[in-house]
Amino acid sequence: MYTSKITGLGSYVPENVVTNDDLSKVMDTNDAWIQERTGIKERRHIKKGDGNTTSVMGVKAAKIALERAALVPKDIDMIIFATLSPDMYFPGGGVQVQEALGMRTVPALDVRNQCSGFVYALSVADQFIKTGMYRHVLVIGSENHSGGLDFTTRGRGVSVIFGDGAGAAVVSRNETGNDGILSTHLHSEGKHKDELSLQGPSTQYWVPEIIEKNPQEDIPYYPYMNGTFVFKHAVVRFSEVIKEGLEANKLSVSDIDMLIPHQANLRISQYIQEKFKLANDKVFNNIQKYGNTTAASIPIALTEAWELGKIKKGDLVVLAAFGSGFTWGSAIIRW
């Protein structure tokens, strides 16, 4: 059995910054209300006509990751693309990336696990490399939330949280030793599937246009979230899956050099940090700037933490996510 490691990271967010004050102009909310509940100050949204889509942002992040891995597109053996907001229902974003980067006829797999999407995708990449089937796998998490959010007071509980962006990682066969991905741990509990869900169209068929053509009071096209219920389950599952990963590798909380949780809500991250008694320099959060970018949140945060020098060779890095499904997972990495 081989082992795998992350050899390149990249991220991309749209230039358009949307502050809490900007949102207060279109719905009954304010900066203090949003920050108190989520910790978010601003987020990035695609602007219609700026050329960005879920797959386009994924390509932009992937190009950076490939360059940092010292690879070119023809070196990639497989693409795994995680998103809940594809450009279209089918085909998925993976084949769009394959075409845009001019890759060989490599397999392209799309993962639909929402906030846990990147951790799930990373786990799949790890397994393919461990078995020796592939040497280099491109893993992407990308989201265009803004195209399908309810920017009225009715939707403020959800719409203030989410942002757009993409992150990518090149996962390669480990040729250097005992570093790399030590283990991944995945779970789901489908009985809570309705507590955080969207039953509607893709972001390429914009929700306001649908409503204009088919007005109705009970709108199933916008995301629904039972916030309190989700929060309570998230803090439990985050804790469980982090402990599971540490115990599987005979490690303890004190061994963690950097915890990068899915950027769902700053209050969740702070709860987990306090529970594990981790110092501020042991947890990385950037939801304040980007909001919740779902499948993109961990790779964006991981890339930024690495760029800032907060992750160094030999560090124990823990990734953990929880989201719609419910699904959750963790990855334990020796950098």
Side-chain angles (χ1 to χ4, degrees):
M1 293 285 285
Y2 297 96
T3 59
S4 69
K5 66 185 298 183
I6 294 174
T7 55
L9 290 167
S11 66
Y12 173 83
V13 293
E15 294 182 4
N16 181 38
V17 177
V18 178
T19 66
N20 293 341
D21 288 335
D22 291 331
L23 293 179
S24 71
K25 296 172 183 176
V26 296
M27 64 180 73
D28 182 13
T29 191
N30 58 69
D31 178 65
W33 188 90
I34 296 171
Q35 286 204 51
E36 178 185 349
R37 287 160 177 78
T38 69
I40 299 168
K41 299 178 181 179
E42 60 186 42
R43 71 287 292 148
R44 304 297 182 94
H45 284 173
I46 288 174
K47 266 190 164 182
K48 250 191 170 182
D50 70 1
N52 281 313
T53 68
T54 302
S55 60
V56 167
M57 292 190 296
V59 168
K60 291 176 179 179
K63 286 180 177 178
I64 298 170
L66 283 166
E67 182 178 354
R68 288 172 170 171
L71 298 174
V72 295
K74 70 178 181 180
D75 295 320
I76 296 298
D77 301 308
M78 183 182 191
I79 305 160
I80 307 177
F81 195 101
T83 189
L84 64 73
S85 52
D87 293 356
M88 60 187 91
Y89 277 118
F90 61 88
V95 296
Q96 292 176 274
V97 169
Q98 185 269 339
E99 178 196 22
L101 291 178
M103 292 179 166
R104 297 175 288 118
T105 56
V106 298
L109 172 67
D110 285 67
V111 172
R112 295 293 297 276
N113 282 82
Q114 296 67 249
C115 297
S116 303
F118 183 80
V119 172
Y120 266 73
L122 189 68
S123 180
V124 173
D126 181 45
Q127 310 312 313
F128 271 114
I129 290 172
K130 277 181 175 176
T131 61
M133 188 165 187
Y134 299 126
R135 184 178 291 271
H136 301 294
V137 179
L138 176 61
V139 180
I140 298 171
S142 184
E143 302 290 2
N144 169 14
H145 286 303
S146 61
L149 295 174
D150 182 1
F151 289 106
T152 69
T153 299
R154 176 185 54 208
R156 66 179 178 174
V158 172
S159 297
V160 301
I161 297 172
F162 292 97
D164 303 337
V170 176
V171 183
S172 303
R173 184 183 299 176
N174 190 357
E175 309 285 4
T176 60
N178 296 323
D179 56 350
I181 298 173
L182 303 182
S183 64
T184 57
H185 308 269
L186 309 175
H187 298 275
S188 71
E189 191 174 21
K191 70 180 181 180
H192 300 309
K193 64 186 182 300
D194 295 329
E195 303 300 336
L196 178 52
S197 62
L198 184 147
Q199 301 171 26
S202 76
T203 53
Q204 293 303 101
Y205 186 21
W206 294 73
V207 170
E209 297 166 0
I210 295 172
I211 294 172
E212 185 178 351
K213 293 178 180 177
N214 182 30
Q216 55 186 289
E217 290 299 318
D218 184 18
I219 301 172
Y221 309 125
Y222 290 126
Y224 165 78
M225 179 172 65
N226 182 344
T228 302
F229 188 88
V230 172
F231 188 103
K232 289 179 178 179
H233 278 72
V235 294
V236 171
R237 297 307 192 184
F238 263 113
S239 301
E240 289 177 350
V241 82
I242 291 170
K243 289 179 180 177
E244 179 184 358
L246 292 172
E247 290 172 1
N249 294 281
K250 296 180 171 56
L251 297 166
S252 64
V253 172
S254 62
D255 293 312
I256 297 175
D257 294 299
M258 181 58 67
L259 169 64
I260 298 183
H262 162 57
Q263 304 294 292
N265 186 311
L266 186 60
R267 307 307 164 218
I268 294 176
S269 298
Q270 290 171 334
Y271 182 96
I272 298 302
Q273 178 179 348
E274 182 177 348
K275 181 170 183 176
F276 286 133
K277 295 180 172 55
L278 292 169
N280 289 337
D281 63 350
K282 301 291 187 182
V283 183
F284 187 79
N285 291 297
N286 61 2
I287 190 173
Q288 303 94 321
K289 297 189 296 181
Y290 305 124
N292 180 347
T293 54
T294 307
S297 83
I298 285 181
I300 290 174
L302 181 60
T303 299
E304 189 167 292
W306 175 79
E307 290 172 342
L308 292 171
K310 295 181 180 294
I311 297 175
K312 304 176 293 297
K313 184 173 177 56
D315 281 355
L316 185 74
V317 178
V318 177
L319 312 180
F322 173 90
S324 171
F326 288 149
T327 61
W328 61 98
S330 65
I332 313 298
I333 304 169
R334 180 68 69 184
W335 208 257

